[in-house]
Amino acid sequence: MASTAIRKVSFIGTGIMGAPIAGHLMDAGYELTVYTRSGEKAKGLIDRGARWAPDVESAALGADVVFTMLGYPEDVEDVYLATDGLIRSTKKGAWMVDLTTSSPGLARDIHDAAEVEDKHAFDCPVTGGEQGAIDGTLTLMAGVRKDDATVLQPLLESFSSKIYYLGGAGRGQIAKLCNQVSLGAAMMGYADALALAGRAGMDKAQVLDIISHGLGGSVALSQLGPKSVAGDYKPGFLAEHLRKDLGLAIFEADDLDIALPSAEAAYGLYDILCQVGGSRLGTQAVTLLYADDDTGTAAGLDWSKLDVPDYDHDEYDHGGHEHHHHHHR
């Protein structure tokens, strides 16, 4: 199948990450159709000539490739596996590429369901954040063999600078969860360091600069630490999404019978942050947990929300089907 066969691309979920990625696909010359739950998020793309689809089924019709960038595994499950979802609604031979960070088991189920219908689906989570999406320099973790997805390479290259082909459905998700586990630990590390520096009366920005030149540094510290110091909590990546990803990683680790102490600690911190009103702030807002009440309140936190009576402490270890990963919106 020559790559010229791919002309019509649909994109479902044009949020912080999805909209710029879809824009790169348009720049690369593909005919784009978009569907997103909150229509105004697609306005920029529609103004540039993208077609609007009123629902998932309409977005699937006639598409050679459908990309999805959603919030939670249950959104992915719904968009793909519902009766009017992508697996049923796409044409034979169509490709479906899920860019969401989601459940490895669900990715395998979607792949298998697609193959039964003579269609192709794989997981392809990304890293590089909002800026990487805007610049078109994301790193992709594709749960597929390179030879099997040659036809898609020009599309994937239009918004990435590195593509890892991981050889099988669900493996992209595992790689991404490994990234998120490492990120969670890095966020806690710099948050602890800033708390110590601040309490000791040090210049926090200077201390960050010092750490960034040694082994204690991290990409997270260099990129997000200064935002924490400046009190800029605007999301490049939502706190609630890191909580979700850490929960998925812990679920997976549990399944594989290993403990991930730093992931569990980071999950605990992000869970508190989300409970007290920080779920829609950027991940750098974890430093607010160490701040005085006035600083927290000014940023929109409300510590009185912490003891929610119906809070489920076993949120990520609920023994249910892994597709239904519980969360509090």
Side-chain angles (χ1 to χ4, degrees):
M1 189 168 141
S3 47
T4 50
I6 291 181
R7 282 194 306 277
K8 294 189 172 177
V9 176
S10 289
F11 205 104
I12 296 175
T14 55
I16 290 179
M17 300 289 287
I21 293 172
H24 292 299
L25 288 162
M26 287 187 82
D27 291 341
Y30 297 98
E31 285 176 45
L32 194 75
T33 297
V34 292
Y35 167 68
T36 193
R37 271 189 309 205
S38 44
E40 71 276 2
K41 285 187 178 162
K43 190 179 180 316
L45 293 163
I46 291 162
D47 290 347
R48 290 182 51 193
R51 243 191 59 209
W52 170 251
D55 51 42
V56 170
E57 197 175 6
S58 318
L61 286 177
D64 299 310
V65 185
V66 183
F67 286 95
T68 51
M69 177 61 101
L70 307 163
Y72 286 85
E74 52 268 38
D75 302 322
V76 173
E77 185 171 23
D78 191 46
V79 163
Y80 280 85
L81 300 175
T83 40
D84 54 357
L86 292 178
I87 300 289
R88 287 278 181 83
S89 309
T90 44
K91 65 184 188 187
K92 298 276 182 208
W95 285 88
M96 290 158 268
V97 182
D98 185 27
L99 306 171
T100 317
T101 300
S102 177
S103 147
L106 176 57
R108 291 189 290 267
D109 290 350
I110 287 171
H111 168 268
D112 295 349
E115 290 301 322
V116 169
E117 302 273 344
D118 291 326
K119 300 163 187 182
H120 315 287
F122 64 91
D123 46 309
C124 188
V126 310
T127 184
E130 181 183 15
Q131 199 54 52
I134 292 165
D135 297 341
T137 57
L138 294 170
T139 295
L140 312 188
M141 292 155 269
V144 69
R145 286 177 40 224
K146 185 174 183 176
D147 293 351
D148 293 341
T150 319
V151 64
L152 293 183
Q153 211 169 322
L155 288 87
L156 299 177
E157 285 175 350
S158 74
F159 57 87
S160 69
S161 57
K162 191 147 187 56
I163 306 171
Y164 289 95
Y165 291 97
L166 298 162
R171 297 176 77 87
Q173 296 299 354
I174 303 262
K176 176 65 191 247
L177 294 180
C178 291
N179 182 80
Q180 300 308 74
V181 163
S182 188
L183 171 62
M187 298 300 291
M188 280 196 303
Y190 96 62
D192 276 8
L194 283 179
L196 180 59
R199 181 51 65 95
M202 303 288 281
D203 174 336
K204 291 193 211 175
Q206 187 181 36
V207 170
L208 278 185
D209 191 50
I210 292 167
I211 301 171
S212 74
H213 289 92
L215 276 178
S218 64
V219 179
L221 177 143
S222 297
Q223 289 189 4
L224 296 172
K227 293 189 173 190
S228 290
V229 172
D232 169 9
Y233 306 113
K234 195 173 86 62
F237 184 60
L238 292 170
E240 66 174 348
H241 286 163
L242 185 54
R243 173 179 71 166
K244 176 240 339 184
D245 297 350
L246 291 166
L248 284 165
I250 291 163
F251 187 98
E252 207 59 28
D254 210 41
D255 225 33
L256 298 167
D257 209 25
I258 56 164
L260 302 177
S262 67
E264 292 186 24
Y267 180 92
L269 287 181
Y270 279 98
D271 191 42
I272 291 169
L273 178 62
C274 291
Q275 281 190 66
V276 299
S279 59
R280 307 295 292 176
L281 299 177
T283 50
Q284 69 274 24
V286 69
T287 51
L288 283 170
L289 297 180
Y290 301 71
D292 59 62
D293 285 354
D294 292 350
T295 308
T297 307
L301 300 193
D302 176 0
W303 283 91
S304 69
K305 290 179 178 164
L306 193 55
D307 285 318
V308 185
D310 66 348
Y311 174 59
D312 171 9
H313 285 281
D314 291 323
E315 182 168 311
Y316 55 75
D317 183 25
H318 47 79
H321 204 239
E322 76 186 271
H323 301 176
H324 300 286
H325 183 70
H326 298 311
H327 64 281
H328 304 291
R329 291 247 180 212

